[in-house]
Amino acid sequence: MTRVPNAFPVAATASAGSSASAGLPPRRSPRVVGSALVALTKPRIIELLLVTTVPTMLLAQRGLPSLRLILVTLVGGTLAAGSANTINCYIDRDIDAVMKRTSRRPLVVNGQGTIKPWEALAWGILLGAGATLLLGLMANWLAASLADTAILFYIFVYTLLLKRRSPANIVIGGAAGCFPVLVGWAAVKGTVAVPAIVLFAVIFLWTPPHFWALAMKFRKDYAAANIPMLPVVASAATVVRKILWYSYAMVAATLILIPYAGWIYGVFAAALGVWFLAEAHRLNARVTAQAPAAAQAPATAQAPATAQAPATAQSAVTAQSAVTAQTEAAAAAAGPSPAPMRLFHLSIAYLTLLFAAVAVTALLPWGRW
């Protein structure tokens, strides 16, 4: 009789073991589910999008729009971006599981996702519908339609069409991240004007240097997932050369805004441009210095790339990865890492400060032409 109380824990343990062996999913608390749904929207990316929205609204108003309109536009933009990001996570959950950088996302979590795929898709659609109704009813339908265009472009053009097929994926697909300035301007004016288009172009040209720097750091991740990001299918020298091209074009675009934003903005834009270009040239110099060591890798390493031109983007990824894997040791021996993340982080600070300059000069009663 004295052993009877111990029988129940044993039975409970056996039952728990049976449930675990049956592969039953663990219970999810509302807090866990809520946190996972928020994580699917990629809040850190949304923050950067919103940084560009408010200054654009201030420039459109040439002052401070109503706080109600600012709040509606920010919330609507957040919902729209969250919708696009969530559906992107739903579509890319297979490659997110392969990439170390994304393996902890709620739909993956090492094969035991916190959120079910259908839940993520429903959440993304719900966010998009909320963004459309909020912007349409409380701002205007042009702003709502532009937000919807951004969602559709990010899902269908970038995620489904380009991301897994073309090294130009982020160049073209990155246009989705430029729409917040159009939404902000349209919310204030009800139209889209030249200054908004110039700001769109600035972000469009900023995106490749920003993202290619990140992709250089996580090249192995993208290669493992067969995603043909430029740093995967091209040499580091080619990547940094294109980063320089886009950087110069971006700085030139920022200067085009001077007639609309004023000379004070122009001073800030020029100074920030010099800062950005200096870092881009620094990255180029580091990569160029490593090139001779990488070139000393065995000649046979070049065979996969030269024997036959890749027929598809996936085979291009495989061939280039085979070459790069054999040259990495020589490149590493040449000196320190080219540290592309330094340019990545600087690019975020650059864009934030540039749009802060737009906001400040839009509020000042002087400093315009």
Side-chain angles (χ1 to χ4, degrees):
M1 295 297 292
T2 57
R3 294 184 179 180
V4 171
N6 293 332
F8 292 98
V10 171
T13 303
S15 176
S18 299
S19 298
S21 62
L24 296 177
R27 290 185 178 181
R28 303 176 301 167
S29 69
R31 180 178 180 181
V32 169
V33 173
S35 298
L37 291 175
V38 171
L40 285 174
T41 65
K42 305 179 185 177
R44 294 180 66 183
I45 295 178
I46 294 177
E47 289 174 7
L48 190 60
L49 297 177
L50 298 183
V51 162
T52 65
T53 303
V54 174
T56 303
M57 296 179 72
L58 298 179
L59 183 63
Q61 184 69 36
R62 288 292 185 179
L64 186 66
S66 71
L67 293 179
R68 172 186 170 278
L69 181 60
I70 293 176
L71 182 62
V72 165
T73 306
L74 289 180
V75 174
T78 298
L79 295 177
S83 170
N85 290 334
T86 298
I87 297 175
N88 169 267
C89 287
Y90 166 79
I91 296 170
D92 281 348
R93 62 191 185 277
D94 58 332
I95 60 176
D96 283 347
V98 176
M99 297 174 62
K100 183 182 298 184
R101 185 173 67 90
T102 58
S103 62
R104 300 299 300 174
R105 284 180 176 171
L107 278 170
V108 183
V109 194
N110 299 325
Q112 299 294 327
T114 311
I115 297 295
K116 298 180 179 66
W118 73 265
E119 293 172 333
L121 181 59
W123 173 239
I125 294 173
L126 180 63
L127 290 173
T132 303
L133 292 175
L134 181 64
L135 289 171
L137 295 175
M138 302 189 71
N140 57 64
W141 288 104
L142 176 59
S145 64
L146 288 169
D148 288 342
T149 301
I151 296 172
L152 296 174
F153 193 92
Y154 189 70
I155 294 170
F156 291 99
V157 177
Y158 173 66
T159 305
L160 290 174
L161 180 62
L162 294 175
K163 184 173 182 177
R164 307 188 191 206
R165 293 180 174 86
S166 171
N169 46 23
I170 199 63
V171 176
I172 301 172
C178 309
F179 275 85
V181 295
L182 301 184
V183 174
W185 189 280
V188 173
K189 290 293 191 181
T191 61
V192 174
V194 172
I197 296 173
V198 172
L199 290 172
F200 183 101
V202 169
I203 303 172
F204 182 82
L205 295 168
W206 168 87
T207 301
H210 168 75
F211 197 86
W212 284 337
L214 178 70
M216 288 178 72
K217 170 70 174 179
F218 295 101
R219 187 197 63 78
K220 290 183 180 179
D221 254 5
Y222 287 110
N226 287 320
I227 303 301
M229 291 295 174
L230 185 65
V232 176
V233 300
S235 67
T238 299
V239 176
V240 295
R241 184 166 61 249
K242 291 192 175 184
I243 284 177
L244 275 176
W245 294 347
Y246 277 93
S247 298
Y248 273 100
M250 174 197 69
V251 173
T254 65
L255 300 181
I256 294 176
L257 191 67
I258 293 176
Y260 303 97
W263 66 266
I264 294 180
Y265 158 81
V267 172
F268 281 102
L272 290 169
V274 170
W275 181 43
F276 193 99
L277 291 175
E279 185 57 36
H281 275 284
R282 186 177 292 112
L283 177 61
N284 178 65
R286 290 174 178 173
V287 170
T288 302
Q290 289 187 355
Q296 294 175 7
T300 54
Q302 302 295 330
T306 57
Q308 183 178 359
T312 64
Q314 181 170 340
S315 60
V317 170
T318 304
Q320 182 64 27
S321 296
V323 175
T324 308
Q326 297 182 51
T327 60
E328 280 181 344
S337 167
M341 292 301 288
R342 178 169 171 170
L343 178 63
F344 172 78
H345 292 299
L346 184 147
S347 68
I348 296 174
Y350 167 84
L351 193 69
T352 302
L353 292 173
L354 181 73
F355 275 84
V358 172
V360 170
T361 54
L363 293 173
L364 290 176
W366 37 268
R368 302 169 190 168
W369 297 114

